[in-house]
């Protein structure tokens, strides 16, 4: 034990033979005894080189997934899955085709998800009469709103494949919106025909 203490004392004292201009020439090469281990100071740049791969590896492999042992939480979706969309689209389109003409009297038509809604401002000559037909297949309800509101009253279209008609008079500023309520999901088929 006394030998280790003596060795520590010798290593901590600078060698007067190597001192020039107020500093030791082997300052970076001195050994330090920590416990029974001899330690040499490590230059800072070497420490940076040693840590760089670890930092890169951590940055490159981090993801936004859940931590191990935890499950990811997802928000519930009210929309219909794609496989169900095809079936609901076919049901809504079939019901719409059964009650409306697709010939020359058709002005505009479409199929939309209830979550997206229908938003159209058709270019309709003022003074002519038209019929809007809406079929919603899925669950919940959709609401038909005309702007300006004097064009036609607000109507509800249940998403049970019921067929909803509304007659209205055309004009440059007529806008039609069909939007589902908070719990609605499915597909909306719609068509505007001239009367």
């Amino acid at each position: 034990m006394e030998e280790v203490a003596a060795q520590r004392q010798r290593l901590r004292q600078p060698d007067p033979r190597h001192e020039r201009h107020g500093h030791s020439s082997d300052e970076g090469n001195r050994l330090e005894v920590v416990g029974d281990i001899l330690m040499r100071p490590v230059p800072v740049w070497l420490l940076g080189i040693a840590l760089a791969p670890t930092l890169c590896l951590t940055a490159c492999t981090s993801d936004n997934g859940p931590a191990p042992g935890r499950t990811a939480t997802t928000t519930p979706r009210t929309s219909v899955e794609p496989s169900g969309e095809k079936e609901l689209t076919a049901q809504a389109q079939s019901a719409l085709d059964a009650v409306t003409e697709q010939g020359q009297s058709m002005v505009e038509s479409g199929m939309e998800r209830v979550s997206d809604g229908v938003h159209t401002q058709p270019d309709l000559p003022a003074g002519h009469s038209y019929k809007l037909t809406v079929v919603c297949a899925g669950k919940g309800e959709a609401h038909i709103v005309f702007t300006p509101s004097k064009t036609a009253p607000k109507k509800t279209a249940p998403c049970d494949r019921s067929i909803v008609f509304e007659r209205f008079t055309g004009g440059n500023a007529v806008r039609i919106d069909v939007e589902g309520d908070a719990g609605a999901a499915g597909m909306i088929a719609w068509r505007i025909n001239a009367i």
Side-chain angles (χ1 to χ4, degrees):
M1 198 62 148
E2 292 176 8
E3 186 178 315
V4 172
Q7 188 176 12
R8 281 185 189 166
Q9 186 63 24
R10 270 184 275 141
L11 291 174
R12 287 188 185 155
Q13 293 178 358
D15 188 348
R17 292 176 289 169
H18 297 290
E19 286 188 12
R20 288 187 195 141
H21 307 289
H23 68 276
S24 171
S25 63
D26 63 342
E27 189 173 299
N29 295 326
R30 279 193 298 164
L31 298 176
E32 182 177 342
V33 177
V34 177
D36 290 335
I37 302 171
L38 292 176
M39 300 283 296
R40 176 174 288 164
V42 178
V44 175
W45 63 268
L46 187 58
L47 183 60
I49 290 173
L51 289 177
T54 304
L55 294 173
C56 288
L57 184 60
T58 302
C60 295
T61 59
S62 69
D63 63 358
N64 292 332
R70 295 183 183 218
T71 57
T73 56
T74 58
T75 55
R77 295 182 63 191
T78 57
S79 64
V80 180
E81 294 301 318
S83 61
E85 275 186 7
K86 288 181 183 178
E87 184 180 331
L88 293 174
T89 298
Q91 291 172 1
Q93 191 66 52
S94 174
L96 184 67
D97 290 344
V99 295
T100 60
E101 300 175 19
Q102 293 186 37
Q104 293 180 350
S105 71
M106 185 181 78
V107 175
E108 196 171 344
S109 179
M111 178 73 65
E112 309 293 337
R113 289 183 181 94
V114 172
S115 59
D116 296 336
V118 175
H119 308 284
T120 184
Q121 189 167 355
D123 186 17
L124 303 173
H128 290 100
S129 295
Y130 297 91
K131 179 173 74 172
L132 170 69
T133 307
V134 175
V135 177
C136 182
K139 64 177 185 174
E141 293 180 337
H143 305 283
I144 304 166
V145 178
F146 286 83
T147 305
S149 59
K150 66 180 182 177
T151 306
K154 181 178 178 178
K155 268 197 169 172
T156 298
C159 293
D160 59 1
R161 294 183 304 242
S162 295
I163 299 161
V164 179
F165 299 100
E166 186 58 55
R167 291 177 185 252
F168 65 99
T169 303
N172 294 345
V174 172
R175 178 179 169 86
I176 302 168
D177 294 293
V178 184
E179 295 182 341
D181 59 17
M187 300 299 291
I188 300 171
W190 60 278
R191 186 173 293 150
I192 299 171
N193 288 85
I195 298 175

